[in-house]
Amino acid sequence: MMAQYLALKAEAEDCLLFYRMGDFFELFFEDAKVAAACLDIALTARGEHDGAPIPMCGVPIHAAEAYLARLIKAGHRVAIAEQTESPAEAKKRGSKSVVNRAIVRVVTAGTLTEEALLDSRAANWLVALAPLGEKIGLAAADVSTGRFELTSVSPANLDAELARLSPSEIIAAGSLPTFAGAQLSERPHAEFDSVSAERRLKERFGFGTLDSFDRPALAAAGGMLAYLEEVGRETLPFLRPPVPVSSSAHMMIDASTRESLELVAAQGGGRPGSLLQAVDRTVTGAGARLLAADISAPLTHRHAIEARLDLVARLEGDSTLRHWLRTTLKALPDLGRALGRLVVGRGGPRDLGLLRDGLDEARRLHDRLAVLGDAPPLLAELLPALTGHGELVDLLSRALVPSPPIDASQGGYIAEGYDAALDALRSTGGEGRRAIAALEAQYRASTGIAALKIRHNNVLGYHVEVPARHADALMAADSGFTHRQTLAGVVRFNAPDLHEQAMKVAQAGNHALAAEAAHLEELIAAALDRSEPIAAAADALARLDVAAGLAERAVEGGWSRPSFTDEPCFDVEGGRHPVVEEALRARGERFVANDLSLGEQKRLWLVTGPNMGGKSTFLRQNALIAVLAQAGAYVPAARAKLGLVDRLFSRVGASDNLARGRSTFMVEMVETAAILAQATPNSFVILDEVGRGTSTYDGLAIAWAVVEWVHDRCRSRCLFATHYHELTRLAERLDALSLHHVRAREWKGDLVLLHEVAPGPADRSYGIAVARLAGLPPAVLARAKSILAKLESGRAATGGIAAGLDDLPLFAAAQEEEEAQCDAIRAAVESLDVDSLSPREALDTLYKLKALARE
Ligand code: ADP
């Protein structure tokens, strides 16, 4: 047995091997140690290998999913080795034969389909990367729903694209990217072959041409297919035809921006506190997954955004329709995932029942929505997917009982009347059971033992049971009963007529089970034949759910429909931060709405004011409004008119993140550098206290230079929050920069933060007042006050730390000067006739060049 184990283990070296033994999956050697520690189960030993006991642990089959989930979550991959023959078959081959086993599947984070292992409200992406030339091909598959995307990205955009998908597993040819939370594995280059991938995609999906995909994308698809085949051991999971995803169709948002804006997860990692959580009013798992995808990838094409908004608007304006739609959707099963399980052969009768009920509801939805007046175009586009499933629904309705079980092994899922032969078998079984019940009464009468019972268990089958004190009568040789078992209080017997009826019941039962299994197979095949239309129906239902949920949220919060213009403006009246507003409401406080107006003329707002004054909140709420609007949602504002945003950036000064123990000033600068390199005039940038992570002088200098660069070079719409009061002097020089502050007042010695954004610079920083608010001891506050007075008198005398900055040449000027000097050196070098120089002259020339460089 150990030899077999070791051979299987060698096939799956990078996995923990679940080795099936009876009702357990056993793990041995290192695997056992790792699993025992991770699962907190007992580590035991068994036999010997190379003179040492073999560590072992095991998990019972019935609870295996829960254990698997924990191992996968902890980052492990698990290979499942099942018995591929029965012990009886093995015995036939020879008395000492070990039951044949084979790895039937490798379970990895990105290839799960089990309901228990997946979050119903989140997609589960497996991503394959194939660097080819200047591009990286990217294939993404969610095998739980069959969604399959292909694209290619430039290396600079890879990070943003991965952040959009947030995959749970990444495979790649060659070097792997770092992506927190994903299982990573390197795969052989040969698997990422675009030519064979093209052929296979054509075969599998019946494509005539694959023009919408480039070579890198096809290579990634090849790697994906090869990997899925390997982990599925030749059975490919559910994959729908690949859809091309163009990164220019989405707002680019890099990973740190997503994290800092808490789009789909809060900084701690969970959903609570995220934008998604604050917006999500969907009622189905598929709807929640689609909303998360929408928020992760806001659109950049106006007509597509407007199409989504038209549907939301229609539902927002019709509360009867919206309530009916949401109630109907709520009762709907998760069609996509039921289908996913059926495709990989892990689906059962219940999944077919889910398809039946879901598709039937879809048709009812269709019938009601189809007669709707002034239907938006998106609705008309979705409706056809909801019908046309009648034949399958009829078949499943006739074939299945109303609520079929998850597990097929006990039978009982095929409805009466579907198959006359099956009905006959069942009635034979039923007659047998009735006969057995009658026998009980008969035996009681004939023996005079009122406590006699006929029972059934898996070991003895049907048997007669009497209390021990009555056993003697039945033990008699001529009693007609045969003794089977004596337990503490009871004794068990068999009897010929009981045996005969029991055989009848068992036989009919076995035949019925086999008949049901055959029907199940046919029904699954019939469903799989229609997998693409079913998946399309699931998609359409999810889109309806998202739209209805967004409409519901809009009504609930008094949100408004954003409008779009072609100019790069950003006009928001009465904007609010959905997450902060909700948190405040829970505490009984009111959120103060604020306006923003960015345009060609004033595209950069510098926001100053005391800590805790609401600067960050203001910056973020506007970034979130951009995300929501382009995702096709209403926005938390009285009115919003926006120019489309191509890229969104958010950076938060390092010290804000120090508590998380990872961000440092260095990270802040790396991220800032990325913005300065990538932001365009159509981008929207929020910079919160950039430069705070270092000393005052450095920080101010960096913040100053960054503002200038964004203003002059990137020309993006930008909100810049800072506590460097000195930066306000930039307004004198930068035309498109305007000054704003969050208002605060000192009242009877106390600081009152008004959270109102007002024009002009803050009059002072209120740092000491904030410190008092925070409860610093009065003595410390008094001391700080006197130090401040001293510092301020010093500043008045020297003009402060930003004194003289006005005289600095602007960026461009500084750079030109550097270039001019460079040119002088270049001119001198170019004018040299190297061949005619004597060694002495050459040395002189070098001295001259050096002097030039020093100028
Ligand atoms: P800053 O960035 O200026 O330090 P924050 O934006 O972090 O300030 O806001 C601090 C706190 O003030 C928030 O946690 C919130 O409770 C409150 N706050 C911020 N903006 C508003 C607002 N517009 N209305 C009401 N309360 C607000």
Side-chain angles (χ1 to χ4, degrees):
M1 190 204 92
M2 260 309 138
Q4 184 192 51
Y5 172 84
L6 291 171
L8 288 171
K9 176 71 195 169
E11 265 182 55
E13 267 180 276
D14 56 345
C15 303
L16 299 173
L17 183 64
F18 267 33
Y19 184 83
R20 176 79 182 251
M21 293 179 78
D23 289 338
F24 277 80
F25 282 122
E26 304 286 4
L27 294 105
F28 300 105
F29 301 106
E30 255 334 280
D31 284 6
K33 292 188 196 161
V34 171
C38 178
L39 299 174
D40 199 17
I41 54 176
L43 183 67
T44 57
R46 174 200 169 103
E48 277 200 354
H49 185 72
D50 289 342
I54 303 169
M56 166 177 122
C57 67
V59 299
I61 298 292
H62 65 85
E65 270 195 15
Y67 287 112
L68 256 180
R70 276 160 66 188
L71 290 171
I72 300 293
K73 226 185 206 129
H76 299 292
R77 301 151 57 84
V78 177
I80 311 257
E82 283 283 5
Q83 293 171 191
T84 51
E85 62 178 355
S86 69
E89 284 167 318
K91 261 216 186 93
K92 261 188 228 153
R93 286 191 289 114
S95 65
K96 285 230 153 72
S97 306
V98 177
V99 177
N100 275 332
R101 290 179 178 82
I103 294 180
V104 292
R105 178 179 170 220
V106 176
V107 188
T108 69
T111 58
L112 297 174
T113 49
E114 282 88 345
E115 208 171 15
L117 274 53
L118 289 164
D119 174 357
S120 70
R121 299 183 81 79
N124 188 45
W125 289 108
L126 165 68
V127 162
L129 299 175
L132 199 70
E134 305 276 280
K135 290 278 190 107
I136 299 174
L138 188 155
D142 180 352
V143 299
S144 66
T145 57
R147 178 130 181 113
F148 185 19
E149 293 185 356
L150 287 183
T151 183
S152 63
V153 295
S154 66
N157 289 342
L158 179 62
D159 177 39
E161 208 49 29
L162 287 178
R164 170 176 76 83
L165 295 162
S166 185
S168 56
E169 183 173 2
I170 302 174
I171 58 168
S175 69
L176 284 157
T178 46
F179 190 83
Q183 235 174 37
L184 304 171
S185 37
E186 206 178 310
R187 307 287 308 166
H189 272 278
E191 289 179 357
F192 293 76
D193 173 20
S194 66
V195 179
S196 72
E198 184 171 0
R199 198 187 57 241
R200 298 191 55 192
L201 289 175
K202 280 181 179 166
E203 268 168 28
R204 190 175 162 88
F205 300 109
F207 286 142
T209 124
L210 286 166
D211 289 347
S212 27
F213 308 111
D214 59 9
R215 286 282 134 204
L218 291 171
M224 171 74 82
L225 293 177
Y227 181 69
L228 287 175
E229 237 162 43
E230 183 179 314
V231 298
R233 298 289 141 159
E234 310 305 323
T235 42
L236 266 183
F238 181 30
L239 279 187
R240 299 176 62 192
V243 281
V245 177
S246 145
S247 48
S248 69
H250 295 134
M251 185 191 283
M252 294 292 280
I253 315 175
D254 60 33
S256 49
T257 299
R258 284 167 199 278
E259 208 179 308
S260 98
L261 291 178
E262 304 180 294
L263 293 185
V264 295
Q267 303 229 337
R271 264 170 73 105
S274 66
L275 174 67
L276 178 60
Q277 172 91 356
V279 175
D280 188 359
R281 297 292 181 271
T282 58
V283 292
T284 67
R289 296 195 293 272
L290 183 60
L291 180 64
D294 285 358
I295 287 184
S296 298
L299 305 174
T300 49
H301 293 162
R302 192 157 150 194
H303 69 270
I305 301 171
E306 299 281 10
R308 286 187 188 172
L309 281 168
D310 286 343
L311 183 54
V312 178
R314 180 69 180 77
L315 291 164
E316 190 241 10
D318 186 340
S319 59
T320 319
L321 175 67
R322 187 173 72 246
H323 291 316
W324 170 79
L325 180 58
R326 282 165 47 80
T327 317
T328 313
L329 287 169
K330 194 167 185 169
L332 271 182
D334 200 327
L335 285 178
R337 285 201 167 160
L339 185 62
R341 288 190 292 272
L342 288 167
V343 171
V344 289
R346 278 194 295 281
R350 197 190 53 149
D351 291 310
L352 289 174
L354 296 181
L355 293 189
R356 170 197 63 195
D357 301 344
L359 292 172
D360 198 33
E361 275 305 316
R363 182 194 46 79
R364 294 200 322 124
L365 268 168
H366 170 273
D367 294 351
R368 160 107 192 234
L369 295 173
V371 295
L372 217 58
D374 59 4
L378 181 55
L379 184 60
E381 221 174 272
L382 297 174
L383 282 181
L386 301 182
T387 51
H389 308 285
E391 219 171 286
L392 179 64
V393 173
D394 282 349
L395 172 66
L396 294 174
S397 305
R398 276 187 295 114
L400 294 171
V401 298
S403 14
I406 296 182
D407 177 19
S409 65
Q410 303 296 317
Y413 47 88
I414 297 291
E416 237 184 274
Y418 180 65
D419 171 4
L422 174 63
D423 290 347
L425 286 169
R426 282 179 176 162
S427 79
T428 312
E431 277 162 23
R433 273 189 293 274
R434 270 191 299 281
I436 288 172
L439 277 177
E440 189 176 69
Q442 207 178 311
Y443 290 154
R444 278 183 194 165
S446 66
T447 59
I449 305 170
L452 178 146
K453 287 193 180 102
I454 292 182
R455 291 191 178 278
H456 181 271
N457 69 26
N458 287 336
V459 183
L460 298 184
Y462 283 99
H463 56 271
V464 173
E465 186 179 283
V466 295
R469 62 183 191 286
H470 293 300
D472 286 353
L474 304 197
M475 288 287 198
D478 58 353
S479 70
F481 293 91
T482 346
H483 174 256
R484 295 297 308 274
Q485 196 178 30
T486 300
L487 297 176
V490 296
V491 183
R492 291 168 171 172
F493 298 89
N494 205 348
D497 359 357
L498 176 61
H499 181 70
E500 191 185 319
Q501 291 301 341
M503 289 294 286
K504 238 195 225 166
V505 171
Q507 218 166 38
N510 285 339
H511 288 151
L513 268 184
E516 287 203 58
H519 287 309
L520 180 64
E521 212 167 291
E522 289 157 21
L523 294 172
I524 291 179
L528 295 188
D529 253 0
R530 294 192 49 80
S531 56
E532 187 46 38
I534 295 173
D539 282 358
L541 292 168
R543 177 54 67 204
L544 286 173
D545 187 21
V546 167
L550 290 174
E552 181 74 16
R553 183 67 183 90
V555 172
E556 192 186 300
W559 293 10
S560 64
R561 176 177 181 158
S563 63
F564 297 94
T565 71
D566 292 328
E567 293 87 57
C569 70
F570 206 99
D571 286 319
V572 175
E573 270 171 38
R576 288 165 283 147
H577 190 302
V579 180
V580 176
E581 186 179 25
E582 231 167 55
L584 288 178
R585 181 169 317 124
R587 299 205 302 258
E589 292 170 39
R590 209 174 59 81
F591 190 90
V592 181
N594 279 304
D595 302 347
L596 170 65
S597 177
L598 298 175
E600 204 91 62
Q601 302 307 318
K602 291 288 175 215
R603 54 177 186 270
L604 196 157
W605 274 26
L606 191 73
V607 186
T608 50
N611 272 328
M612 293 299 285
K615 298 186 295 298
S616 291
T617 307
F618 178 66
L619 264 53
R620 283 159 207 252
Q621 80 191 27
N622 286 298
L624 297 183
I625 284 172
V627 168
L628 285 173
Q630 290 186 219
Y634 275 35
V635 295
R639 205 181 67 86
K641 192 169 122 214
L642 314 172
L644 289 169
V645 171
D646 64 347
R647 289 159 183 260
L648 179 68
F649 294 98
S650 163
R651 277 314 164 273
V652 178
S655 58
D656 257 11
N657 290 340
L658 276 186
R660 283 155 56 216
R662 46 168 277 229
S663 276
T664 60
F665 178 62
M666 180 67 186
V667 173
E668 177 192 336
M669 287 299 109
V670 168
E671 292 176 355
T672 307
I675 299 182
L676 300 186
Q678 295 172 13
T680 75
N682 288 319
S683 303
F684 186 62
V685 180
I686 63 173
L687 294 164
D688 192 356
E689 297 280 13
V690 161
R692 157 152 72 178
T694 182
S695 75
T696 308
Y697 279 88
D698 286 4
L700 173 60
I702 290 168
W704 186 287
V706 167
V707 171
E708 282 181 346
W709 184 277
V710 172
H711 180 273
D712 294 345
R713 299 294 181 102
C714 305
R715 305 177 73 82
S716 314
R717 286 159 285 177
C718 174
L719 296 178
F720 194 107
T722 184
H723 68 282
Y724 291 124
H725 204 64
E726 293 77 4
L727 283 182
T728 55
R729 292 169 59 177
L730 276 165
E732 295 156 23
R733 281 220 320 249
L734 304 181
D735 298 339
L737 180 147
S738 79
L739 298 177
H740 298 267
H741 69 283
V742 285
R743 290 184 61 205
R745 231 188 277 142
E746 268 191 282
W747 195 69
K748 289 191 184 160
D750 277 338
L751 180 69
V752 184
L753 299 168
L754 300 173
H755 304 301
E756 234 178 79
V757 178
D763 49 357
R764 56 207 163 90
S765 70
Y766 297 99
I768 292 181
V770 174
R772 176 179 307 124
L773 210 59
L776 237 58
V780 175
L781 290 172
R783 174 80 179 135
K785 249 188 181 161
S786 63
I787 295 176
L788 178 66
K790 260 236 157 62
L791 290 176
E792 279 182 343
S793 64
R795 174 159 72 187
T798 62
I801 62 172
L805 283 184
D806 291 340
D807 310 331
L808 269 181
L810 274 180
F811 251 120
Q815 202 163 10
E816 264 166 32
E817 205 165 79
E818 241 174 58
E819 275 167 12
Q821 183 193 20
C822 239
D823 282 351
I825 299 175
R826 176 178 292 154
V829 173
E830 268 173 4
S831 66
L832 279 178
D833 181 3
V834 178
D835 293 329
S836 69
L837 287 182
S838 70
R840 173 82 224 172
E841 281 166 342
L843 192 62
D844 280 348
T845 312
L846 274 179
Y847 277 120
K848 270 189 210 137
L849 284 175
K850 197 148 176 151
L852 258 182
R854 226 184 279 122
E855 265 172 19

